[in-house]
Amino acid sequence: MQPLSQLATGQQAVISAIEAEESLFHRLSALGFRVGKPLSIMRRASFNGPLQVRLGTTDVILRASEASHIKINPI
Amino acid sequence: MKRIALLGMPNTGKSTLFNRISGASARVGNWPGITVDLLSAKILLGGHIAELIDLPGIYDLHGFSEDEQVVRHFLTNNPFDLLIVLLNSTQIERQLSLLLQLKKLGVPIVLVLNMADEARRAGITIDTENLAAALALPVISISAKYGEGLPKALTTAAHILNEQKATTNPKSINLLLQEESLIEREMEDLIQKHVQIPATLTDYTTDKIDRILLHKWLGLPMFFAAMFLLFQFIFTVGGPLQDGLAWVLDLVRSSMLEPLFSTSPEWLKGLMLDGIYNGIATVAAFVPIIVLFFLVMSMVEDSGYLSRAAFLMDALMAKMGLDGRGFVMMLMGFGCNVPAIMGTRIMRSRPMRLLTMLVIPFSLCSARLQVFIFMIAALFSTKHAPIVLFSLYVMSFLTMFLTAVLFQNQYKNSEPFILELPPYRFPTPRQIVLRGWQEVKHFLNRASKFIILGVILVWLLTNFPSNVAPASVGTYAGQIGVFFGPILDPIGINHELAIALIFGFVAKEIVIGALAVIYGMQGDALMSQIAGQIDWVQAMSFMLFTLIYTPCLSTIATIRNESKSTAFMWLSIAWSLGLAWIVSFVFYQGARALGY
Ligand SMILES: Nc1nc2c(ncn2[C@@H]2O[C@H](COP(=O)(O)OP(=O)(O)OP(=O)(O)O)[C@@H](O)[C@H]2O)c(=O)[nH]1
Ligand SMILES: [Mg+2]
């Protein structure tokens, strides 16, 4: 188990836990971040910018600091 | 009257459907958070008049940003008869959660699965019949953008309205707004049974475009290059149109209005022709450029590029205490600052909202664009014109960045940055025309409100007292100019321009109208008169001042309303006035010192 922020670009993974305070948790879950869901990182913006994450049919961008609340298992 | 509300996650096409059904023209854009306030329209449905309400998007019933609170407030304070819940069919596997939450409220619901066209292309099949049975709700697949499935959705809605007796009770809804953890399992079950999603869903076109536009190193340079080209395009295409219209308006004056007023008293002729007509005609000549500008703007907004711009710029914005969404608001501000300031409602942290609101007024809006195009055409060669205009846009960004950097410690925040990246879309001709027309209406509305009044006032100031020569130092306008001389002389702004600036405080559209009245001229004659009186350094200083000092009264009122703080409003005014003066001073004195 590792934070999403450390996942390599292009590598597939499955969400194993979401450790965020309530409002962040709700927003993440509405955007499709739920335990057991597969995802991958499409690209990272330069200068340590946000990650583009693909979750099923949705693409989401989020900062590494937010991504570190999401724990994943690479597959 | 029956009341129907449109509800769904952001960017699912609620406003598109609202426009389709009601014929209204709510703003539509491929950006989650275009609608931030309630909009309502009367429609005829099943033989009754009903009120249709467009709501901001919500992700769930727990959100607490300002736009989401608008929805909660609506649900808990207004009885309604029907909820039309919109989901994006291509994202049904996650958006269904909102429907299931809403269903717990026990209100009458019609589920509308929008973007049927995109779902089809993505190979997603939804068994609406069985899904309807499983949910015990009517489920209709539509495409709000192209109108597919609309009649069926409307008859279903009408049917429910006609059958049902009591409206919902807001109080009981309030009690029910609590989470249900079972929703997740229920959702998965429904999706598995009734929806087929291909294992690898990729929108190849979007991916291909993104590979170029979101390129690690070329993304940002390409963004600025594209912006330069777009403005170049507006300038080269719009310029001749503007000249043509100005020529026609001049012809109207000389061949129709002058004969008409030839027998009226001198003052009336002056007021009507040199005052009102000149003022309005000068402003009206800009309508083609404004329309063109908004056509381009609506294409950019609808393309989905705004979220990409947020992606590219977020790292830089983070250094200034803002985030990628703040950058998008700056870009929206290029159209008009007011909706951009309201757009900050999608931010939850108050400090970040305030910081973004402090920054937006420096965004070079379309009204200021008119002033600049006018001044640039008067004082710069066609070769230099695009560069001067572009440098003003650069200046606009620089003042925004500077403001954010200077104030970020006052507005520290830790707002999470999470944003959907929608697929690229292209607006239909209908959407483009609707938007263009909307902007013309908006312009005419402002024109009738401010410009006529402003122009008359300027005419009075420059023509009274009547015992001195018009527009001379002896007139009221001249006296005002002399009064402000000590502040404005050091930045190269003469008395005529000073009057225009003062009226520009109300709305920038008045600035060139006022100049037309002050000089009693119009079109080319006015431009060459101004060019004879000031040089390019003064013109640039005037434009810098116009860019930076407070956009207009509506923007100030919006800042006051959105921040709910008069002190903050004054801070914004004082800071922009101060910064405008300093920048113009440094530029003007610097250029003079260098011998220009
Ligand atoms: N392909 C397709 N695109 C659609 C359809 N309906 C809406 N869109 C597009 O989806 C985007 C969002 O539409 P809006 O009507 O602004 O969505 P909204 O739900 O009002 O969004 P917010 O106000 O931000 O919550 C726009 O680019 C629309 O053109 C549809 O049926 N098919
Ligand atoms: Mg909307």
Side-chain angles (χ1 to χ4, degrees):
Chain A
M1 199 154 96
Q2 69 186 70
L4 172 60
S5 45
Q6 285 171 18
L7 184 67
T9 309
Q11 167 88 49
Q12 293 275 330
V14 171
I15 301 176
S16 52
I18 295 172
E19 296 163 358
E21 42 87 24
E22 202 180 332
S23 66
L24 183 59
F25 181 87
H26 283 307
R27 176 57 58 90
L28 286 171
S29 104
L31 283 166
F33 289 91
R34 290 162 198 267
V35 173
K37 285 270 169 336
L39 55 67
S40 64
I41 294 182
M42 302 297 293
R43 57 170 61 78
R44 295 175 143 87
S46 38
F47 307 114
N48 278 326
L51 325 174
Q52 178 188 348
V53 178
R54 178 159 297 169
L55 274 141
T57 54
T58 307
D59 276 18
V60 176
I61 55 178
L62 74 175
R63 284 186 184 161
S65 50
E66 271 76 63
S68 62
H69 293 290
I70 301 165
K71 307 292 182 231
I72 44 114
N73 282 319
I75 43 175
Chain B
M1 191 166 41
K2 302 273 186 186
R3 195 183 272 144
I4 309 169
L6 290 169
L7 207 70
M9 288 202 187
N11 212 30
T12 48
K14 298 175 295 300
S15 302
T16 309
L17 182 62
F18 177 77
N19 290 349
R20 270 268 171 208
I21 298 178
S22 67
S25 38
R27 187 149 164 215
V28 164
N30 199 4
W31 162 259
I34 284 277
T35 311
V36 288
D37 213 347
L38 296 185
L39 261 179
S40 82
K42 305 262 182 304
I43 58 165
L44 196 65
L45 192 65
H48 300 283
I49 293 188
E51 187 184 15
L52 183 68
I53 293 158
D54 185 25
L55 293 166
I58 47 166
Y59 284 104
D60 51 44
L61 293 173
H62 315 282
F64 274 98
S65 59
E66 193 95 354
D67 55 331
E68 290 172 306
Q69 282 189 44
V70 169
V71 179
R72 288 173 67 107
H73 188 262
F74 172 82
L75 290 178
T76 51
N77 286 283
N78 298 284
F80 52 88
D81 305 272
L82 177 66
L83 274 187
I84 299 185
V85 178
L86 258 84
L87 303 187
N88 175 347
S89 307
T90 62
Q91 300 182 338
I92 185 172
E93 99 278 17
R94 78 174 162 88
Q95 297 201 345
L96 206 51
S97 60
L98 178 64
L99 173 87
L100 296 176
Q101 288 182 9
L102 290 168
K103 207 172 151 236
K104 299 277 186 283
L105 303 179
V107 300
I109 290 178
V110 174
L111 174 59
V112 166
L113 301 176
N114 193 27
M115 313 214 179
D117 55 313
E118 286 189 358
R120 211 162 25 234
R121 240 178 304 141
I124 296 174
T125 26
I126 304 173
D127 180 352
T128 46
E129 237 161 74
N130 284 319
L131 185 62
L135 287 168
L137 291 176
V139 178
I140 297 137
S141 174
I142 71 159
S143 166
K145 186 169 171 180
Y146 300 102
E148 172 192 334
L150 202 66
K152 190 167 169 214
L154 289 179
T155 37
T156 312
H159 192 69
I160 296 186
L161 280 188
N162 286 338
E163 286 217 322
Q164 150 214 340
K165 301 125 214 118
T167 54
T168 55
N169 179 358
K171 292 224 178 55
S172 65
I173 290 181
N174 212 354
L175 292 175
L176 275 163
L177 282 178
Q178 293 151 4
E179 202 191 1
E180 287 285 337
S181 57
L182 292 175
I183 281 179
E184 199 158 325
R185 210 165 318 138
E186 192 180 350
M187 182 162 91
E188 261 167 29
D189 187 48
L190 286 166
I191 295 294
Q192 226 156 50
K193 281 193 186 129
H194 308 293
V195 181
Q196 278 172 4
I197 302 174
T200 51
L201 178 80
T202 31
D203 178 350
Y204 291 111
T205 332
T206 290
D207 273 357
K208 265 187 218 145
I209 300 174
D210 272 345
R211 225 167 288 151
I212 303 166
L213 293 185
L214 296 185
H215 188 275
K216 214 169 170 67
W217 303 115
L218 296 178
L220 272 180
M222 261 188 306
F223 166 76
F224 286 103
M227 231 183 76
F228 183 73
L229 288 179
L230 277 184
F231 287 117
Q232 178 96 313
F233 166 79
I234 292 170
F235 210 69
T236 31
V237 177
L241 286 175
Q242 182 203 357
D243 291 343
L245 189 57
W247 182 81
V248 171
L249 289 167
D250 202 30
L251 196 68
V252 168
R253 175 182 166 137
S254 56
S255 63
M256 283 171 59
L257 296 176
E258 272 172 8
L260 193 69
F261 284 97
S262 61
T263 53
S264 13
E266 204 52 34
W267 70 266
L268 181 66
K269 188 176 161 198
L271 172 65
M272 296 306 287
L273 295 183
D274 295 336
I276 298 179
Y277 188 78
N278 265 6
I280 291 180
T282 306
V283 183
F286 282 92
V287 168
I289 288 197
I290 297 305
V291 172
L292 203 66
F293 176 84
F294 277 104
L295 293 185
V296 171
M297 194 80 185
S298 80
M299 277 187 259
V300 173
E301 267 176 16
D302 219 42
S303 68
Y305 186 72
L306 291 181
S307 305
R308 271 83 187 173
F311 176 78
L312 292 171
M313 286 295 288
D314 183 65
L316 190 62
M317 302 302 288
K319 298 213 167 42
M320 306 178 229
L322 297 168
D323 69 17
R325 294 172 303 174
F327 184 70
V328 170
M329 298 306 146
M330 294 177 181
L331 294 182
M332 281 188 183
F334 285 166
C336 175
N337 290 180
V338 171
I341 289 171
M342 294 182 66
T344 60
R345 288 184 182 182
I346 59 173
M347 298 169 179
R348 252 179 313 165
S349 122
R350 178 167 166 85
M352 177 178 274
R353 263 198 91 188
L354 290 180
L355 188 59
T356 313
M357 281 193 237
L358 201 59
V359 155
I360 291 172
F362 299 108
S363 176
L364 197 167
C365 68
S366 61
R368 276 172 274 189
L369 179 64
Q370 292 174 36
V371 180
F372 299 155
I373 290 178
F374 179 86
M375 291 303 281
I376 291 172
L379 279 132
F380 293 88
S381 67
T382 39
K383 203 174 102 222
H384 291 140
I387 301 165
V388 176
L389 185 62
F390 192 67
S391 71
L392 285 164
Y393 276 101
V394 172
M395 230 9 239
S396 167
F397 275 126
L398 289 181
T399 46
M400 290 195 266
F401 294 165
L402 175 74
T403 304
V405 168
L406 290 180
F407 285 90
Q408 64 169 329
N409 288 329
Q410 265 70 55
Y411 298 103
K412 277 205 182 314
N413 62 75
S414 57
E415 167 106 354
F417 174 70
I418 308 171
L419 191 70
E420 248 188 283
L421 212 55
Y424 287 104
R425 298 192 170 108
F426 200 76
T428 59
R430 186 172 171 276
Q431 282 174 322
I432 298 177
V433 170
L434 213 66
R435 179 73 194 279
W437 170 234
Q438 196 57 21
E439 294 303 336
V440 175
K441 257 181 23 198
H442 179 78
F443 176 83
L444 293 177
N445 187 12
R446 277 174 73 107
S448 52
K449 246 204 241 136
F450 303 127
I451 302 175
I452 297 184
L453 205 68
V455 160
I456 293 176
L457 259 174
V458 175
W459 185 82
L460 291 175
L461 288 178
T462 45
N463 283 276
F464 286 91
S466 48
N467 56 355
V468 298
S472 70
V473 185
T475 60
Y476 292 124
Q479 290 167 25
I480 296 174
V482 170
F483 177 77
F484 282 102
I487 316 174
L488 297 180
D489 287 343
I491 60 175
I493 291 178
N494 68 19
H495 298 170
E496 284 85 354
L497 296 181
I499 297 293
L501 276 185
I502 291 168
F503 280 89
F505 200 87
V506 176
K508 290 292 167 292
E509 286 91 340
I510 303 179
V511 171
I512 42 178
L515 285 176
V517 177
I518 294 166
Y519 288 103
M521 291 173 190
Q522 182 195 328
D524 288 341
L526 174 60
M527 288 193 186
S528 53
Q529 175 72 21
I530 292 178
Q533 219 184 52
I534 62 173
D535 65 0
W536 74 268
V537 179
Q538 282 173 290
M540 197 66 201
S541 174
F542 173 74
M543 290 194 284
L544 286 172
F545 197 87
T546 307
L547 168 67
I548 303 170
Y549 90 111
T550 341
C552 63
L553 277 188
S554 320
T555 303
I556 294 175
T558 311
I559 291 176
R560 163 79 193 74
N561 284 340
E562 296 296 311
S563 68
K564 299 186 183 67
S565 155
T566 315
F568 181 77
M569 175 192 84
W570 285 113
L571 169 71
S572 168
I573 297 174
W575 167 243
S576 45
L577 274 173
L579 185 64
W581 194 86
I582 293 169
V583 170
S584 293
F585 182 80
V586 169
F587 172 82
Y588 183 72
Q589 297 298 342
R592 287 288 186 248
L594 290 174
Y596 286 107

